[in-house]
Amino acid sequence: MSPETSALPGTVRPRGRTERVRQAVTDATRTLLLEQGYRELSVERVAEVAGVAKSTVYRRWRDTAGLLLELMTELSTGEIPLVDTGSVEEDLLSLARGIAHVYTETNAGPMVLALIAESVQNERVADGLREFWHHRNDRAAESVRRAIERGDLPADTDPVEVIRMLGAPFYYRMLVTHEPLDDDLARRAAATALAAARAGDLRKR
Amino acid sequence: MSPETSALPGTVRPRGRTERVRQAVTDATRTLLLEQGYRELSVERVAEVAGVAKSTVYRRWRDTAGLLLELMTELSTGEIPLVDTGSVEEDLLSLARGIAHVYTETNAGPMVLALIAESVQNERVADGLREFWHHRNDRAAESVRRAIERGDLPADTDPVEVIRMLGAPFYYRMLVTHEPLDDDLARRAAATALAAARAGDLRKR
DNA sequence: CGACAAACGAAACTCCTATTGCATTAGTGA
DNA sequence: TCACTAATGCAATAGGAGTTTCGTTTGTCG
């Protein structure tokens, strides 16, 4: 029998030229996405800007969705700073402002929008995103867990659910109403999630 | 001088064959969207299924975004039922359950997802959607306005903002985490928006 | 009923996307 | 340093999306 599936390109010799190509392609993807927008993103353009044969890009990333997934690594590194002020109220407000900041002042906005739009059509991207959010929200939930331990919130509060409630309004604005993310929203989102948690509406089920 | 812009096809003779074509095309669009998904939606396929020349579809709808916009009319008619129970709590819970229902049990789910994904890339669709949500949320805010009049909520509460806070978690799940919309979510979303309003966190700015 | 033109249908054509086969380059281990 | 082959580059190809032209059908009005 012949080997069922040969190793994916870029996995056997991950250094040297292979790595240079990877860098050039991700750089080109990011550049095009930010300058031209998601709509103009195509494998051909990326290959052209990267100075790489398009067949190479097709082989290693398959399509634009694969290119976007590669960019998620960057999003993971550029995390939103998590603080520990000793007060849930301030922790959550800081988090909300961090979210507003990262989506308005950094490259994350267009990238995340493109990824979400793609995830509607593409299961691979949807899975990748789900995992990404889960990790991120779980880390952010730490401040809620501390608050519960301090007795500032009901003992059976679901920490991650609080974070999700806090985050939801941002994505609502970005995707549904296409409104700007201002500090007003950050304060409302943080206050809303906190009010719900305090009222006992975000308990574990 | 020649006429700046001639009337769009389908506007001068809106009856007879023109109307039959419109019906066939919207039917085909809906069918393809629901059966094959947004990814498989193309002008060519729609024209084929509708039994219409593709040049006709391109002329009148321009692209798939135009086809999707046509479907928004259907969404407007299939409104979420608004109740008046005399209690904000019950009104909002009923609304939240209505949202969960319409997106899980009807055709609205795939349609709205496709529209939102498209709106990321397409200004026309984004504008159409924004108007659509504004109208919908404004109508739903009626129950909040009644609650304010009764003195059940702070006088300067922003009624529409309450509705938006209530709706946000649904779109968060559909678009960001791709989780199902269950009754648990409906209860949490309604309770969260209400708790925030009562706490005075959703006042007009 | 008859004339006018709106709207549609059919087909050719261009452009872009995606796939494939083969030659070439360059990591990698002996 | 040399042999091996992973990975890339190049070019040809196929297929779909979008545009344009022109002839035909058919609402609409007098």
Side-chain angles (χ1 to χ4, degrees):
Chain A
M1 291 194 188
S2 58
E4 299 280 313
T5 53
S6 58
L8 292 173
T11 55
V12 179
R13 290 179 178 174
R15 280 186 289 278
R17 180 171 61 167
T18 298
E19 171 59 19
R20 285 197 301 278
V21 166
R22 201 195 61 77
Q23 266 296 335
V25 169
T26 52
D27 286 351
T29 304
R30 191 183 328 102
T31 303
L32 280 173
L33 186 58
L34 297 178
E35 289 182 359
Q36 313 277 340
Y38 171 49
R39 193 173 194 181
E40 302 302 320
L41 194 68
S42 73
V43 177
E44 296 234 341
R45 292 281 296 129
V46 168
E48 186 184 339
V49 172
V52 163
K54 66 174 179 170
S55 53
T56 299
V57 182
Y58 278 116
R59 264 190 298 257
R60 286 182 60 180
W61 288 274
R62 183 187 165 109
D63 52 22
T64 52
L67 292 169
L68 289 176
L69 280 171
E70 182 89 49
L71 287 187
M72 279 185 58
T73 320
E74 296 186 27
L75 289 176
S76 306
T77 59
E79 291 262 336
I80 293 165
L82 301 176
V83 300
D84 181 4
T85 64
S87 148
V88 224
E89 198 158 352
E90 289 189 35
D91 280 6
L92 293 184
L93 181 58
S94 168
L95 173 64
R97 283 179 165 147
I99 295 174
H101 175 266
V102 86
Y103 285 138
T104 51
E105 306 296 329
T106 76
N107 296 339
M111 286 191 195
V112 170
L113 281 181
L115 280 163
I116 290 177
E118 190 68 30
S119 74
V120 170
Q121 320 170 33
N122 192 308
E123 200 64 32
R124 277 167 64 215
V125 177
D127 291 342
L129 266 184
R130 195 191 346 263
E131 198 175 339
F132 172 71
W133 300 123
H134 184 271
H135 175 257
R136 203 190 194 97
N137 287 342
D138 192 57
R139 269 176 47 85
E142 207 43 56
S143 55
V144 179
R145 294 196 190 92
R146 288 194 299 267
I148 295 171
E149 282 177 25
R150 285 195 303 264
D152 292 346
L153 290 177
D156 55 349
T157 300
D158 186 334
V160 175
E161 194 59 29
V162 176
I163 300 300
R164 284 148 49 115
M165 277 292 174
L166 184 149
F170 293 97
Y171 300 94
Y172 184 83
R173 287 216 181 182
M174 282 197 289
L175 294 159
V176 178
T177 63
H178 295 267
E179 288 170 295
L181 311 182
D182 51 22
D183 195 65
D184 216 65
L185 176 69
R187 281 188 276 114
R188 276 181 176 162
T192 296
L194 187 57
R198 280 180 174 151
D201 294 323
L202 301 180
R203 301 172 190 274
K204 292 172 188 162
R205 45 178 175 174
Chain B
M1 291 193 187
S2 59
E4 299 281 313
T5 53
S6 58
L8 293 173
T11 54
V12 178
R13 289 179 178 174
R15 278 186 290 278
R17 179 170 61 168
T18 299
E19 171 58 20
R20 285 197 303 276
V21 167
R22 200 195 62 76
Q23 267 295 336
V25 169
T26 53
D27 287 352
T29 304
R30 191 183 328 102
T31 302
L32 280 173
L33 187 57
L34 298 177
E35 288 183 0
Q36 314 276 341
Y38 172 48
R39 193 174 195 181
E40 303 300 320
L41 194 68
S42 73
V43 176
E44 296 232 341
R45 292 280 297 130
V46 167
E48 186 184 338
V49 172
V52 163
K54 67 173 178 172
S55 54
T56 300
V57 183
Y58 278 116
R59 263 192 298 258
R60 284 182 60 179
W61 288 274
R62 182 188 167 109
D63 51 22
T64 52
L67 292 169
L68 290 175
L69 279 171
E70 181 89 49
L71 288 187
M72 279 187 58
T73 320
E74 296 185 27
L75 290 176
S76 306
T77 58
E79 292 260 337
I80 293 166
L82 301 175
V83 299
D84 181 3
T85 64
S87 147
V88 222
E89 198 158 352
E90 289 189 38
D91 280 7
L92 293 185
L93 180 58
S94 168
L95 173 64
R97 283 182 165 147
I99 295 175
H101 176 266
V102 85
Y103 285 139
T104 51
E105 306 296 329
T106 75
N107 294 340
M111 287 191 194
V112 169
L113 280 181
L115 280 163
I116 290 177
E118 188 71 30
S119 75
V120 171
Q121 320 170 31
N122 192 308
E123 199 64 32
R124 277 166 65 213
V125 176
D127 291 342
L129 267 184
R130 194 189 349 261
E131 198 175 338
F132 172 71
W133 299 122
H134 184 272
H135 175 257
R136 202 188 193 98
N137 286 343
D138 192 56
R139 269 177 46 86
E142 206 45 54
S143 54
V144 179
R145 294 197 191 92
R146 287 194 299 267
I148 295 172
E149 281 177 25
R150 285 195 302 265
D152 292 345
L153 290 176
D156 54 350
T157 300
D158 186 333
V160 175
E161 195 59 29
V162 177
I163 300 301
R164 284 147 51 116
M165 278 292 174
L166 184 149
F170 293 97
Y171 300 94
Y172 184 83
R173 288 218 181 180
M174 282 197 288
L175 294 159
V176 177
T177 62
H178 296 267
E179 288 169 295
L181 310 182
D182 51 23
D183 196 65
D184 216 64
L185 175 69
R187 281 188 276 114
R188 275 181 175 162
T192 297
L194 187 58
R198 279 179 175 151
D201 294 322
L202 300 179
R203 300 173 191 273
K204 293 174 189 162
R205 44 178 176 174

